[in-house]
Amino acid sequence: MTRNKIKPMLFSIIKHTSPEDLKKQLPKDIISGVIVAIVALPLSIALAIASGVGPEMGLYTAIVAGFIISFLGGSRVQISGPTAAFATIVAGIVATDGLDGLFAATMIAGVLLILMGLLKLGTIIRFVPYTVTTGFTAGIAITIVIGQVKDLLGLTFPEGTPTVDTAQKLQAIAENIGTFNWQALLVGAICLAILLLWPKVNDKIPSSLVAVVAGAAMVGLFNMDVNTIGDLYIINSGLPTLHVPQLSLDLFRDELANGITIAILAAIESLLSCVVADSMISSHHRCNMELVAQGVGNIGSVCFGGIPATGAIARTAANIKSGGRTPVAGMVHALVLAVIMVFLMPYAALIPMPTIAAILLQVAYNMSGWRNFAHLCTTASKGAVAVLLLTCGLTVVFDLVTAIAVGMLITVVLFMKMVSEETEVKGWVYYCDQDSEVTHLRELPKSVRVYEINGPMFFGMTDRITDISVKSFTKYLIIRMRGVPSLDSSGMNALENLYDYCNRNGVKLIFSHANEQPMRTMRRAGFVDLVGEANFRPNIDDAIAYAKSLLEQEQTDTKTHITK
């Protein structure tokens, strides 16, 4: 099964797996799908609320996008749905541009994801630096934590209080800390303790489900003064229905940046989840097919009232641990959630908001990767640490678009600086002592000078070409290029300037061992014709011999001229 193939993994599994093996695996996938649905239920509700939309929209996303992406996806075990990575982005879009803005941004993201897959750009994800992904993931986690302080402490904000960005949330918390509700904190603390400790007691029943039941029971039985989902939201039950809002070209233009951000983040999150899943089951996903599926799934999700979706690492891991090995598990998970949506959704109104806050705090902790963050801070270079901290800080203070853009820009600059420092231009040292301990010496005439260039020749190092100099007695300059893997237009311009410099000083330029890419660039620029094809030699010994022959020919011509 080719990794870059644009074909759903489900179709290949059906085609290449025997009917007997499929029958054996089907019950395991169904059971795993049911278990994953139970895990996804409270998470989908919590993530929808964190995204500033109704709780049912999280389930719409898990149902529609979860089914489509599993059906069309390039992974055997990927489970998709709403994730914490999108919470702050979606909340910001909804707060400023409403649900129509979210629809437009997600549609743009879906189309971009499909195009990325069809253009086979799935492998491009490896060019996103680890420091950038770690930084913005930690920043999102911090933002989620700040966003849950209100419900965890039971604070009450005056109507109309702006809470779009992190600074506004912190200001609102500080101004309204006097409304602290100890009962809300008690419910949240107990639910958080259940989330942390329950897996040690029983790893079969999801801790989030236990926390939801326990929180609802506490508030209901003891008549506690704690807000529930039903107090703040109108719960809509029933299956999602197709809904396309009124859109305009101006709206799509305004949401283009948000759409690009969602597409990039969805690609990163989903493919990272696939990589993690591959390592757990010793398999290989089809990255380009996965991107196409993510695009179709996101378009489907928003058309049926959902929010952006991507691969969810925690739910994918739960699927693998429960025995799921084909996309059927993801499809079953979506169907089970649809059944719950129809028959049990009204009971979601009983879930306390501090319980939702506790679930999201655990999600933020798990996604923060603080151990990796701390490890990078202590072991990475100063430049890498700066990128890490800056990306994290910008995600918290501004937004993900700014964080990724600045993080990538600084990383590229640091990379160019590092590569340019690796490129060196050095001239050969001439030894007059016959008893020198240096071995492998080559005999050179005094009028022949040799320089070696090692490393890529690009715009970050062209100034080093100016270090090449000739003496008054130099007649031939050999440039040894065996250590030059690549040459760009700036490097080409530097060589042209070197040629002019040699011409002014009456020096003939000879090149030794130019590799394929630099040679191709020089031919395209007409530089080979300018210097002369004969002056490009296959190796240094040939170049030296060629320079000697030219020198001898020159001396012979001079003697002949004098005789005449």
Side-chain angles (χ1 to χ4, degrees):
M1 299 181 187
T2 308
R3 299 185 198 183
N4 293 326
K5 196 173 185 180
I6 307 294
K7 182 179 181 180
M9 186 65 77
L10 177 63
F11 298 177
S12 294
I13 291 174
I14 294 173
K15 181 178 179 180
H16 297 288
T17 307
S18 66
E20 293 76 14
D21 290 338
L22 287 175
K23 288 180 181 179
K24 290 179 182 178
Q25 182 58 42
L26 184 59
K28 298 178 183 177
D29 289 329
I30 293 174
I31 293 172
S32 181
V34 173
I35 293 173
V36 173
I38 295 172
V39 173
L41 175 63
L43 285 175
S44 299
I45 293 173
L47 291 169
I49 292 173
S51 300
V53 298
E56 72 280 357
M57 292 180 69
L59 290 176
Y60 292 165
T61 308
I63 293 168
V64 179
F67 187 91
I68 292 174
I69 295 172
S70 290
F71 181 73
L72 296 177
S75 171
R76 286 176 169 269
V77 292
Q78 176 95 293
I79 301 294
S80 296
T83 62
F86 286 127
T88 55
I89 301 173
V90 173
I93 296 173
V94 172
T96 55
D97 303 317
L99 291 178
D100 286 356
L102 178 62
F103 182 96
T106 310
M107 288 290 288
I108 292 170
V111 172
L112 290 176
L113 284 166
I114 294 172
L115 290 175
M116 288 168 65
L118 294 178
L119 295 174
K120 297 188 176 181
L121 300 178
T123 55
I124 204 170
I125 203 70
R126 68 178 184 269
F127 294 110
V128 179
Y130 183 59
T131 49
V132 173
T133 57
T134 303
F136 75 66
T137 301
I140 291 171
I142 293 171
T143 305
I144 290 173
V145 170
I146 294 173
Q148 300 316 304
V149 172
K150 173 182 179 291
D151 289 329
L152 185 67
L153 300 181
L155 304 181
T156 302
F157 292 172
E159 187 175 350
T161 301
T163 56
V164 177
D165 57 45
T166 304
Q168 291 174 338
K169 291 176 184 176
L170 290 173
Q171 182 179 353
I173 291 169
E175 291 175 352
N176 297 280
I177 194 67
T179 62
F180 163 69
N181 180 348
W182 68 269
Q183 294 184 39
L185 179 59
L186 177 63
V187 172
I190 291 175
C191 289
L192 190 58
I194 291 172
L195 290 168
L196 297 175
L197 300 177
W198 180 258
K200 298 178 181 179
V201 178
N202 187 323
D203 59 356
K204 302 296 182 183
I205 303 176
S207 59
S208 56
L209 183 63
V210 178
V212 165
V213 174
M218 288 173 59
V219 173
L221 292 175
F222 298 105
N223 197 26
M224 301 178 76
D225 182 21
V226 175
N227 281 332
T228 63
I229 291 178
D231 295 330
L232 304 178
Y233 299 92
I234 298 174
I235 305 296
N236 296 315
S237 59
L239 294 175
T241 56
L242 181 63
H243 172 67
V244 179
Q246 294 295 321
L247 301 172
S248 65
L249 186 60
D250 290 338
L251 181 61
F252 276 103
R253 187 184 299 114
D254 293 341
E255 296 301 328
L256 180 60
N258 288 326
I260 294 173
T261 304
I262 292 172
I264 293 173
L265 188 55
I268 294 173
E269 287 285 310
S270 61
L271 294 183
L272 283 178
S273 179
C274 285
V275 170
V276 172
D278 286 348
S279 66
M280 295 178 71
I281 63 173
S282 300
S283 181
H284 296 292
H285 69 282
R286 293 172 178 169
C287 54
N288 297 312
M289 188 65 241
E290 184 65 25
L291 290 180
V292 172
Q294 291 288 339
V296 176
N298 272 278
I299 292 173
S301 172
V302 76
C303 284
F304 283 88
I307 57 178
T310 187
I313 296 177
R315 274 158 274 176
T316 299
N319 180 34
I320 294 170
K321 292 177 182 178
S322 301
R325 289 297 181 273
T326 76
V328 171
M331 296 159 63
V332 170
H333 131 270
L335 295 175
V336 172
L337 287 175
V339 173
I340 293 173
M341 188 81 199
V342 173
F343 296 103
L344 301 177
M345 193 58 187
Y347 295 103
L350 303 176
I351 302 174
M353 293 305 296
T355 301
I356 295 295
I359 291 172
L360 290 171
L361 288 177
Q362 186 192 39
V363 170
Y365 174 83
N366 290 335
M367 76 174 294
S368 67
W370 66 269
R371 290 183 178 85
N372 293 333
F373 194 97
H375 180 71
L376 283 174
C377 288
T378 55
T379 59
S381 64
K382 292 181 180 179
V385 173
V387 171
L388 176 71
L389 297 176
L390 189 61
T391 305
C392 178
L394 290 174
T395 301
V396 176
V397 177
F398 294 100
D399 53 53
L400 198 60
V401 179
T402 304
I404 293 178
V406 173
M408 289 294 293
L409 178 62
I410 295 176
T411 300
V412 170
V413 171
L414 291 174
F415 174 75
M416 291 189 299
K417 179 177 180 295
M418 179 186 70
V419 173
S420 65
E421 290 173 349
E422 292 296 320
T423 303
E424 61 176 1
V425 178
K426 61 180 181 180
W428 278 17
V429 177
Y430 288 75
Y431 290 92
C432 299
D433 184 5
Q434 296 297 322
D435 298 325
S436 172
E437 295 181 358
V438 180
T439 60
H440 305 296
L441 292 175
R442 291 178 174 86
E443 185 178 346
L444 285 178
K446 183 180 179 180
S447 57
V448 177
R449 190 165 180 82
V450 178
Y451 272 87
E452 286 195 39
I453 304 176
N454 293 304
M457 294 182 64
F458 70 111
F459 59 88
M461 57 71 60
T462 52
D463 60 314
R464 302 195 180 191
I465 300 296
T466 60
D467 295 338
I468 297 176
S469 61
V470 296
K471 305 294 184 182
S472 59
F473 50 79
T474 304
K475 294 185 177 181
Y476 298 95
L477 175 62
I478 299 175
I479 304 297
R480 195 180 192 189
M481 294 183 64
R482 67 172 183 173
V484 179
S486 59
L487 172 70
D488 73 351
S489 57
S490 297
M492 186 67 259
N493 182 67
L495 289 180
E496 290 170 345
N497 292 336
L498 176 63
Y499 175 80
D500 294 337
Y501 167 76
C502 290
N503 257 0
R504 291 195 302 270
N505 289 276
V507 176
K508 182 177 285 292
L509 200 55
I510 299 172
F511 288 88
S512 162
H513 197 148
N515 290 307
E516 183 179 351
Q517 192 278 337
M519 194 68 185
R520 190 166 59 248
T521 301
M522 289 188 283
R523 285 190 188 281
R524 189 165 54 243
F527 188 68
V528 173
D529 295 332
L530 180 66
V531 176
E533 185 81 40
N535 294 317
F536 286 83
R537 315 306 297 186
N539 56 65
I540 188 63
D541 291 318
D542 185 83
I544 293 172
Y546 178 67
K548 286 181 179 179
S549 68
L550 291 177
L551 187 59
E552 290 171 359
Q553 182 64 43
E554 183 181 336
Q555 292 171 348
T556 301
D557 292 344
T558 302
K559 288 180 181 179
T560 302
H561 179 73
I562 292 174
T563 302
K564 290 181 178 181

